[in-house]
Amino acid sequence: MKISYDPEIDVLYIRLLEGKHECRSVRLSDEVALNIGAGEKLVGIEILDAKEVLGAGKIPSVTLEGIESADAPLVIHEKPSKKYGS
């Protein structure tokens, strides 16, 4: 699973399945869409206007409960606040 946030356009994306998938989008609201792949598998969740949708004007912390440790380590990447060369 991969959770990414783009502060420039205020979009949060939760990718549940790795790799490339041909998907259709199912809109739950103007801000929230589910990306559904082959076999009706949920590939990802897109949240537009994420700060407003998730509340308090900021992205909330992420807590993982009841999940066994995966073979891969937890990796946190911070997106640079400015683009290089600006």
Side-chain angles (χ1 to χ4, degrees), residues 17 21 26-27 35 39 84 86:
L17 298 178
H21 300 273
V26 175
R27 287 236 163 258
N35 291 331
Y84 295 107
S86 305

Side-chain angles (χ1 to χ4, degrees), residues 1-85:
M1 179 186 334
K2 180 179 179 182
I3 301 172
S4 57
Y5 175 70
D6 187 334
E8 290 181 25
I9 56 175
D10 192 23
V11 173
L12 183 86
Y13 191 76
I14 303 167
R15 175 176 290 281
L16 301 170
L17 298 178
E18 291 301 316
K20 293 190 177 200
H21 300 273
E22 192 166 320
C23 297
R24 64 183 172 88
S25 290
V26 175
R27 287 236 163 258
L28 300 181
S29 68
D30 288 341
E31 296 86 10
V32 180
L34 304 178
N35 291 331
I36 310 294
E40 296 300 300
K41 290 186 179 178
L42 180 59
V43 174
I45 304 166
E46 180 182 62
I47 303 172
L48 306 176
D49 298 326
K51 288 182 180 179
E52 181 179 328
V53 171
L54 298 173
K58 61 182 180 178
I59 299 302
S61 63
V62 175
T63 303
L64 302 176
E65 294 180 354
I67 298 176
E68 294 292 323
S69 177
D71 292 335
L74 175 64
V75 178
I76 300 173
H77 296 280
E78 296 243 355
K79 195 170 188 176
S81 59
K82 292 199 302 189
K83 291 185 177 180
Y84 295 107

